[in-house]
Amino acid sequence: MVDVLILCTGNAARSVMAATSLSARRPDLRVATGGTFVVDGQPMSIRTRAAIEGVGLTIPRHASRQVHPPDLDAATLVMALAPEHVEWVRRTHQPAAPRTVTLRRLVEHLPPAPTLTEQVAALRPHAVDLEPWEEVVDPGGSEADVFAACAREIDELVSELAPRLARPQP
């Protein structure tokens, strides 16, 4: 089981940044990452490493990996970095759609509840219309300063969200 599975496209920048930030703030949560369009086994880029260090976080061990239905099934919450990732889950593995929501929507709308499962269910993410404001823009192909800005943005969002996430069910 995984409490939070974090998705981006290539599993090389945004998801790694978000997982590193969330794991640092909530060591009680089991956090994993994956991507929707991945070349498996690739290391994170030097720009991603520098961006993570730039927000004061420790560089994790990481190799990119494509997410598969069993990964989605094992997650209490699937946190996406852009609406396109939510759409991908809705299209490729519908059973996980009720647990898949963007980071920005979580920050804006996460209700209090006794467990993470109940918080996610109360959001009804499979029933919402996705909106452009939900995207954390992919820094891929950009210069180091864009990666650094992305890491700061993600770290700020996760910093706001982390204390509000309920404990997972035992």
Side-chain angles (χ1 to χ4, degrees):
M1 283 299 293
V2 172
D3 299 315
V4 182
L5 173 62
I6 303 176
L7 291 183
C8 70
T9 306
N11 190 217
R14 293 173 291 175
S15 57
V16 181
M17 294 171 186
T20 304
S21 182
L22 183 58
S23 294
R25 288 176 170 76
R26 290 293 303 273
D28 60 313
L29 295 175
R30 295 164 295 190
V31 179
T33 66
T36 61
F37 192 66
V38 174
V39 175
D40 281 321
Q42 296 299 303
M44 75 178 87
S45 72
I46 291 171
R47 294 172 293 187
T48 300
R49 293 176 69 85
I52 289 171
E53 288 178 329
V55 293
L57 297 169
T58 302
I59 302 299
R61 289 165 125 353
H62 177 76
S64 62
R65 62 185 212 81
Q66 176 69 37
V67 87
H68 296 285
D71 304 315
L72 296 166
D73 291 338
T76 301
L77 165 64
V78 180
M79 180 190 304
L81 275 295
E84 69 190 61
H85 307 128
V86 175
E87 291 168 347
W88 181 86
V89 170
R90 288 176 178 177
R91 205 173 47 250
T92 63
H93 193 62
Q94 183 60 36
R99 293 175 282 108
T100 305
V101 62
T102 63
L103 170 59
R104 286 190 182 281
R105 186 170 291 274
L106 284 165
V107 169
E108 291 297 319
H109 299 291
L110 185 70
T115 68
L116 183 57
T117 300
E118 291 170 296
Q119 283 182 302
V120 174
L123 276 173
R124 298 184 40 80
H126 60 292
V128 301
D129 291 329
L130 299 165
E131 300 183 42
W133 63 265
E134 295 183 67
E135 181 172 8
V136 173
V137 176
D138 187 355
S142 299
E143 297 299 322
D145 61 326
V146 177
F147 275 78
C150 183
R152 285 191 303 274
E153 177 184 7
I154 288 171
D155 192 54
E156 288 170 11
L157 289 165
V158 170
S159 167
E160 189 175 337
L161 176 65
R164 295 173 36 220
L165 289 172
R167 295 205 179 270
Q169 290 179 306

